[in-house]
Amino acid sequence: MSHLSAVLRPPVHTARRAALVGAAALTAALALAGPASAHAEVEADTPRALATDVTLTFVSEAESDSAGFTKLRVVLPEGIAPADVSLDDAPKGWKMTAASDGYTVGGPALEPGVDAEHSIKVKQLPGARELAFKTVETYSDGEISRWIELPTGDKEPEQPAPVLKLKPAAAGATSLTPSPSPSPSPSASATPSPTPSVTASQSAPAANQAAGNDGGGTSAGTVVAGVAAAVVVVGGGAWWLAKRRSSASRS
């Protein structure tokens, strides 16, 4: 029996050691996965393209046990203008400040471990399949957490931005933003034509003067030509008559 026990002991020790190593590895994996489990999310009461008066709700999960959220910076996706967004709900004392590409909502620090939730009202969602809202979170101790990464191929980002998937637009839905009018061509803007009033006021006297000169010149020329012809005819007739009379007196 002692020989059998000696034979069995090594496998028992090996199995126990393997179990301890596995437990340690699992504990380490869970510890590493803890901070990464926190994330930011976005939901909509009407997740449909071209939907109007949509309420978007954002939730930023707390990942600090010693500091609370003080503000959130959200970058709006293309198709949503900051002017078309208003604050609908937020933690007590938090206010919204518009930016050129989005907005910031913040105020008194929340308690450590408390998630930050706020809602905004959007005039209209764009005609897209999904919308990404890059979010930067700031804690009371100065810690900053950036959820701004987008998926690339099959690789999942470590700090993914909140993404809202949209259903196709409802039948007959149209964009509330009018299409911009086409800008004039460079040649047209570089050499603008004069206004009709200025052209008429400047060209009319010249045209009238030219017409007067042309008309007066033509009539005077006609009169002069007629008088000259008459003089020639009369002079020729007088010469012929005088010559005839001279010839008759000689005869």
Side-chain angles (χ1 to χ4, degrees), residues 123-124 174-181:
K123 183 178 180 181
Q124 184 179 38
T174 57
S175 176
L176 299 179
T177 304
S179 301
S181 57

Side-chain angles (χ1 to χ4, degrees), residues 70-76 82-83 85-87 90 93-107 118 120:
T70 58
K71 66 178 180 179
L72 307 174
R73 172 82 164 89
V74 179
V75 177
L76 296 172
V85 171
S86 60
L87 185 62
W94 282 33
K95 306 295 182 182
M96 172 184 282
T97 303
S100 60
D101 59 351
Y103 65 89
T104 297
V105 58
H118 76 282
I120 61 173

Side-chain angles (χ1 to χ4, degrees), residues 14-237:
T14 302
R16 184 178 300 173
R17 186 177 304 165
L20 292 176
V21 171
L26 180 60
T27 302
L30 292 176
L32 292 175
S37 62
H39 56 280
E41 295 180 341
V42 58
E43 295 180 351
D45 59 351
T46 311
R48 185 180 295 276
L50 300 182
T52 58
D53 296 327
V54 180
T55 299
L56 301 182
T57 301
F58 296 84
V59 177
S60 291
E61 295 185 358
E63 54 182 334
S64 176
D65 296 331
S66 58
F69 289 111
T70 58
K71 66 178 180 179
L72 307 174
R73 172 82 164 89
V74 179
V75 177
L76 296 172
E78 183 178 357
I80 300 180
D84 295 333
V85 171
S86 60
L87 185 62
D88 185 64
D89 189 23
K92 185 178 180 179
W94 282 33
K95 306 295 182 182
M96 172 184 282
T97 303
S100 60
D101 59 351
Y103 65 89
T104 297
V105 58
L110 302 182
E111 293 293 331
V114 176
D115 297 342
E117 180 176 342
H118 76 282
S119 301
I120 61 173
K121 183 76 72 175
V122 180
K123 183 178 180 181
Q124 184 179 38
L125 297 180
R129 294 183 177 179
E130 61 181 29
L131 302 173
F133 297 84
K134 296 181 179 181
T135 303
V136 178
E137 306 166 345
T138 302
Y139 290 84
S140 57
D141 61 356
E143 186 70 21
I144 295 177
S145 182
R146 294 177 174 85
W147 301 92
I148 60 175
E149 298 178 7
L150 302 177
T152 55
D154 297 334
K155 185 178 179 181
E156 290 293 332
E158 296 182 0
Q159 299 286 108
V163 175
L164 177 65
K165 297 185 180 299
L166 301 180
K167 299 177 182 178
T174 57
S175 176
L176 299 179
T177 304
S179 301
S181 57
S183 58
S185 61
S187 59
S189 59
T191 56
S193 59
T195 58
S197 58
V198 175
T199 303
S201 62
Q202 291 179 347
S203 62
N208 293 336
Q209 183 178 0
N213 292 339
D214 291 344
T218 303
S219 58
T222 303
V223 173
V224 172
V227 172
V231 171
V232 171
V233 171
V234 172

